[in-house]
Structures are given as structure tokens and as C-alpha cells.
Amino acid sequence: MLKSFTFDTFKLSRSATKQIFGIHQHYCALNYNQSHGQRVEVRKALEGWYEKLKDAGVGDIEFNLKCLVAHVLKRKFSTLKSYKTEEFTAEQHSEFSRLCEARCARMPLQHILGEWDFMDLTLKTAPTVFIPRPETEEFVSKVIEEYRNVKQPIDMLEVGCGSGAISLAILNALPHVTSTAIERSKVATTLAWENAKSLKLSDRFTPYNHTTSKNNYLPKELADRKFDLIVSNPPYVRTEEFPLLQPEVTLYENLNALDGGQDGLQIARLVFDLACLHLRPGGKLWLELGSEHPPLVKTIMNLKYEGRLRFISSYIDQYKRDRFVEIEKV
């Protein structure tokens, strides 16, 4: 019995030794590669990740992988044409694998990168701060075109500025605009201010941490202010639609920045009331809403705000959905 035990233990030891020796060789090689600058072609580093991301349910995988490669290489996305022929250092290869694992866990790409391009700007991002969507760029472009040829100064208010994307893109395009913004999240308010400073737009941008509510629409400092223009991308997702949202949203984003209540217009109604009090006659209110909302907003304007606000028009996005609303103060 003793001989048998000794022999089995010896066999196990030989197997374990091979494993340990193999691990030792791997790490020795890794350390050697890092210290001697050995490079890995991106094409090789991509192997297996397309399938893993697909299994995790990630969409537009090619775009995701290219964004991660650009980030690791510290290159602009637009400068990487045939990116698979680029090369990683061993350290960059390790970082790329770590970021791919995070994306497989459905962490939003914007949070992984810590920044995101919006219009012509690169904005810092942060967990729990709402990530601006591509359609919002269309919304902002619409507003910019409306005011591009206006000569006089424009005093703008943004309700719910998040990272500052909308205000800062408008300020960047229109030097005659100044923006005041309110945001209920302290983290987002701080982030918006940091973005304004890094983009050298802070001299025309003033954010306030404030939660808009009935009869408390603006901070006390702004109680008597009137604005030429109000813009907002308020929460517009109906509460019942939350189970249908992607994991990137439900797991990582601030759901308060999305919840529009039973009909998706809970916050928008507060913005309507705010506009009645703080928009100059002839001034415009621009909103980005859900595709089912523009007809409903038109009805609300006619029934509740006649003589105060007038529905001008709604506009479609790139997917042919009616999304953007223009309203005028009477």
C-alpha cells in the first residue's frame, strides 16, 4: 500500500511540475516580451474576442473592437483605417484584453474609454452620468442651424445638462451664445464643469446643481432670469419600458436620467411650465423626446398652454422617427 501511494503521488507530482513549469515559462516569456519590447500584431490580439463579444450579446462588434484598439494605441478612431495591421506592445496587449473583458460584461464602451466624441468635441464620461446618443448630435445640429445666422447674443438655458454635451457643442459652434445649465446630479454637474474647462468654454457656461420640481423650477439665483432659448433632452422612457432596456443601460447607467414616468413626459411637463415663466416672448424651446411624443406634445400645447406656448413643428432623426420638437413662447 505504501509503495502504491508513493508511486501515485510521484505521478501527480510530475503532472503538477509540468503545469508549474509551463506557467513559469509563460510569465518568463511575458516579462521578456515586455522588457525587450516584443510586439503583437492587432490581428493576432483580436483572435477569439469577436466570438466572445457575440456570445455576450454585444452589437456592432467591429466598431467596438476598433474603438478599443484606438484607445489602447492612444490614437483617434478616424485615423485608424486598416487597424488590424497595427501592433501592440505586450503591455498594450494586456490592457486590450482587460478592456474586452469589461465589454463582454456589457459595460458601456463610453465608460470603458472614459471619454467619448460628441460632435466636434471629446468629452469626459463617468459611470452614472447619462451617455449622449448619436441622435442627440442630430438634435444639436438642428438647433445650431436655427441660430447660426442670428447676429445678436443668445442667452440659453439647458435643463438636465448631464455631461454638458448639448450646451458645450452649441457653444463651440456658436460664439454668440452663452449657456446656463441645471442638473440634479452632483456628479454630472461637476463633470459638465470639468468638460467646459478642458474645452476652454467655461467663460460662457455656468452649471447649477438643482432639481427642477413644481414651483421650484430654477435655483434662487436664477429666479428672475429670462432666456432666449431653452434646450432639453429630458428623461422620456416610460417606466413600463425599463425591462426592455439593454444591460449597458440597466446595469451601468443612472436610470433617473431615463425615467419619464408613466407616459414618458413627466419631466417634459415641468420644462413646459418652466418655459412659460423663463422664456422670453418669441423665444424657442427645443426638446428631444421619444418617437411617440411629438403628437402628444402638440395636443398638450393646444389644450393646456394655449396663449402661452405654441407648437411649431417636429423633426425626424436619421432612423425616420419623429423625435425633435420646436415650441415658441407666445
Side-chain angles (χ1 to χ4, degrees):
M1 178 68 71
L2 181 59
K3 288 182 179 180
S4 175
F5 174 79
T6 303
F7 182 65
D8 288 342
T9 304
F10 175 70
K11 287 195 295 183
L12 181 63
S13 298
R14 290 184 63 187
S15 175
T17 299
K18 286 182 179 180
Q19 289 182 345
I20 292 170
F21 182 69
I23 293 171
H24 176 72
Q25 282 184 313
H26 171 77
Y27 280 102
C28 283
L30 182 60
N31 290 334
Y32 179 86
N33 290 344
Q34 289 177 338
S35 61
H36 287 73
Q38 186 168 323
R39 305 180 72 82
V40 180
E41 191 176 38
V42 167
R43 190 186 311 278
K44 182 73 175 177
L46 291 172
E47 289 181 359
W49 285 115
Y50 190 96
E51 290 74 16
K52 289 181 180 179
L53 289 166
K54 184 179 179 180
D55 291 344
V58 175
D60 203 351
I61 296 173
E62 187 73 18
F63 173 76
N64 277 260
L65 288 171
K66 187 175 178 181
C67 283
L68 294 176
V69 170
H71 179 72
V72 170
L73 292 175
K74 294 180 170 55
R75 295 266 299 277
K76 281 286 186 181
F77 180 89
S78 58
T79 67
L80 286 178
K81 303 300 181 185
S82 55
Y83 72 101
K84 294 179 182 179
T85 60
E86 299 285 338
E87 290 184 332
F88 286 147
T89 64
E91 185 177 351
Q92 288 172 331
H93 186 192
S94 178
E95 182 187 4
F96 176 73
S97 297
R98 179 179 61 80
L99 298 183
C100 285
E101 289 288 0
R103 192 68 187 98
C104 285
R106 302 301 291 270
M107 180 180 286
L109 189 59
Q110 296 88 336
H111 291 336
I112 293 173
L113 303 180
E115 63 181 26
W116 195 247
D117 288 345
F118 183 84
M119 304 289 284
D120 298 322
L121 308 176
T122 298
L123 299 169
K124 297 175 185 175
T125 61
T128 76
V129 178
F130 183 71
I131 301 167
R133 272 49 178 180
E135 302 94 304
T136 302
E137 294 193 14
E138 296 180 73
F139 171 67
V140 172
S141 295
K142 200 77 180 172
V143 175
I144 289 172
E145 286 308 307
E146 180 77 10
Y147 289 91
R148 189 180 295 281
N149 297 320
V150 175
K151 302 302 181 184
Q152 67 266 30
I154 296 170
D155 195 6
M156 181 178 76
L157 171 71
E158 182 179 3
V159 181
C161 68
S163 63
I166 292 176
S167 279
L168 298 177
I170 293 173
L171 294 180
N172 186 58
L174 304 176
H176 57 293
V177 176
T178 58
S179 176
T180 301
I182 55 174
E183 169 57 51
R184 63 181 170 184
S185 163
K186 290 183 180 180
V187 174
T189 306
T190 300
L191 181 64
W193 180 239
E194 289 177 356
N195 278 324
K197 288 191 294 183
S198 67
L199 295 168
K200 296 179 171 51
L201 294 169
S202 57
D203 59 328
R204 292 187 287 132
F205 179 70
T206 308
Y208 290 85
N209 180 221
H210 178 78
T211 300
T212 298
S213 59
K214 195 73 175 176
N215 299 320
N216 184 29
Y217 300 107
L218 294 178
K220 292 180 180 179
E221 303 95 311
L222 305 176
D224 299 322
R225 287 279 297 277
K226 300 286 186 181
F227 298 91
D228 305 304
L229 167 65
I230 298 176
V231 295
S232 184
N233 177 15
Y236 57 77
V237 177
R238 297 196 304 271
T239 305
E240 66 181 24
E241 294 176 323
F242 271 57
L244 305 177
L245 297 177
Q246 293 290 321
E248 285 88 344
V249 176
T250 57
L251 294 176
Y252 296 99
E253 292 210 47
N254 180 3
L255 298 185
N256 287 330
L258 297 168
D259 192 355
Q262 187 174 356
D263 65 355
L265 291 174
Q266 178 178 316
I267 306 301
R269 285 185 169 85
L270 291 173
V271 180
F272 299 154
D273 292 341
L274 184 158
C276 288
L277 296 172
H278 296 281
L279 195 57
R280 291 190 178 98
K284 297 289 184 68
L285 166 63
W286 284 80
L287 298 164
E288 178 182 352
L289 299 169
S291 57
E292 71 276 17
H293 290 137
L296 182 55
V297 169
K298 185 175 183 179
T299 300
I300 292 172
M301 291 297 110
N302 292 335
L303 293 178
K304 186 176 179 183
Y305 293 93
E306 186 177 4
R308 295 184 292 167
L309 298 174
R310 182 166 65 94
F311 185 91
I312 299 295
S313 186
S314 62
Y315 306 91
I316 60 173
D317 65 14
Q318 61 183 313
Y319 304 109
K320 309 301 180 184
R321 300 175 302 186
D322 210 13
R323 295 285 312 284
F324 315 134
V325 170
E326 179 185 7
I327 296 169
E328 183 179 47
K329 174 72 181 294
V330 177

